[in-house]
Amino acid sequence: METDLLRTFTTVARTGSFTATGRELGYVQSTVTGHVRALERHLGVRLFDRLPSGAVLTDAGTRLLSYANQLLDLEGRLASEVPARDGRPSGRVRLVAPESVCAYRLPAALGKLRLLAPQIRLSLIPGGTAQALQAVRAGAAEAALLLEPDMAVADLQLEPLGAEELTVVAGPDLDLPAGTVTWAQLAEHDVLLLEEGCSYSDQVARSLFVVGQPDFRRVRFGSIEAVKRCVAAGLGWAVLPTATATAELQAGALIAVPGPLPPAPTVYLATHPDRTLSAGTTLVLDQLRALWNPGSQQEP
């Protein structure tokens, strides 16, 4: 049985979408469908029910999922733990992280990682806290990064790496009072928030609710880029990780507003205590630690 078929199957099971699976794995949707059908023919059972709400595992699919994750984990460990000829770390490392971290924090680490260990194949999967924790628990990812003000889980190892600084940003033409503003003053203008589940956006929404801001002034967006563009166009203000808006702040497309902020979320590194970390995974984790603690970095 080809592991590519199992990888497609487990990704559809996680995302519930053939289209999303294609985007994540770099396949056209017809290839994803072909992989699933080939696996169903091989096993002689139906693995998914195709519903309007998405792909839902059948009983047979649910039974297969645990075995598929174990086989893919073994494949990854085989590739990672058999040393390369030159003795340098190699193999596949899968990492789940929030969109803001994937887009604005990790490129610098990936560039250095490519120079240090070009044999490592790092897969980045954007995802929120629930998705990230489930991926690590199921063995679908070697590690995950989480952005939360405070958290603890009993079955995984959580390592705090540092705090992610936040900034209130607005367009240059937004009519805000001079000097430091309050939640009540900010509540007079539309706020552009990320989707529910984003810890700092949800805290901003709660603070504005307390001071009486009407619901229609709180607008949710699915991406930081969309928020920044709308803020720059004067449609409202937002609270964003400072690292995501550095370029726009330097260019003057956005301005930093002195005002109240929710607690800066902590960046947590999540790993499974029962997984044996390969040399490649260990190197990737060291590079992640170095993003928030430069003195912690170790060369391979």
Side-chain angles (χ1 to χ4, degrees):
M1 184 183 300
E2 297 182 17
T3 54
D4 282 349
L5 303 185
L6 293 176
R7 187 169 295 108
T8 299
F9 163 74
T10 58
T11 306
V12 174
R14 174 167 50 79
T15 64
S17 167
F18 283 57
T19 302
T21 295
R23 285 198 301 267
E24 183 172 315
L25 299 180
Y27 296 145
V28 296
Q29 185 171 338
S30 59
T31 299
V32 176
T33 302
H35 281 189
V36 171
R37 287 178 176 170
L39 193 55
E40 290 177 329
R41 285 195 301 269
H42 179 79
L43 296 173
V45 293
R46 188 177 183 86
L47 299 174
F48 293 102
D49 288 327
R50 284 74 161 175
L51 305 179
S53 59
V56 179
L57 285 169
T58 63
D59 286 344
T62 301
R63 290 192 296 271
L64 174 62
L65 184 60
S66 175
Y67 293 109
N69 282 326
Q70 292 178 51
L71 286 170
L72 291 173
D73 181 39
L74 286 173
E75 181 203 34
R77 291 172 61 182
L78 176 66
S80 300
E81 294 173 13
V82 176
R85 289 183 179 179
D86 61 4
R88 304 191 74 179
S90 62
R92 182 183 60 172
V93 180
R94 298 159 296 180
L95 175 68
V96 184
E99 177 214 358
S100 61
V101 176
C102 285
Y104 303 100
R105 283 291 199 176
L106 295 184
L110 297 184
K112 186 157 190 180
L113 184 65
R114 177 64 61 87
L115 295 175
L116 292 174
Q119 301 95 329
I120 292 177
R121 295 178 289 118
L122 180 61
S123 299
L124 293 181
I125 306 168
T129 296
Q131 177 184 347
L133 293 175
Q134 179 57 31
V136 175
R137 288 186 177 111
E142 280 64 44
L145 292 173
L146 318 170
L147 275 181
E148 294 290 341
D150 184 39
M151 74 175 305
V153 292
D155 58 335
L156 298 178
Q157 293 176 331
L158 292 183
E159 176 186 346
L161 300 185
E164 192 73 337
E165 179 186 350
L166 300 174
T167 300
V168 179
V169 297
D173 299 326
L174 192 67
D175 186 22
L176 288 172
T180 302
V181 297
T182 64
W183 284 122
Q185 290 170 322
L186 288 170
E188 296 175 4
H189 303 268
D190 289 350
V191 59
L192 311 185
L193 303 166
L194 294 175
E195 292 179 317
E196 291 186 9
C198 172
S199 61
Y200 54 87
S201 282
D202 289 348
Q203 181 59 55
V204 170
R206 287 191 290 269
S207 298
L208 293 170
F209 175 80
V210 168
V211 298
Q213 185 188 53
D215 291 345
F216 71 85
R217 286 207 174 275
R218 297 190 291 276
V219 185
R220 297 278 184 170
F221 285 78
S223 79
I224 287 178
E225 285 301 313
V227 169
K228 289 193 297 183
R229 289 180 180 273
C230 290
V231 170
L235 300 183
W237 58 275
V239 173
L240 296 175
T242 306
T244 69
T246 300
E248 290 81 2
L249 290 169
Q250 291 176 346
L254 297 175
I255 60 171
V257 178
L261 286 168
T266 298
V267 182
Y268 290 95
L269 175 62
T271 54
H272 201 294
D274 296 330
R275 297 272 319 254
T276 300
L277 299 183
S278 67
T281 299
T282 299
L283 179 58
V284 170
L285 300 189
D286 285 342
Q287 294 297 311
L288 297 177
R289 294 182 181 103
L291 282 176
W292 285 271
N293 301 279
S296 69
Q297 187 170 348
Q298 300 178 2
E299 298 296 332

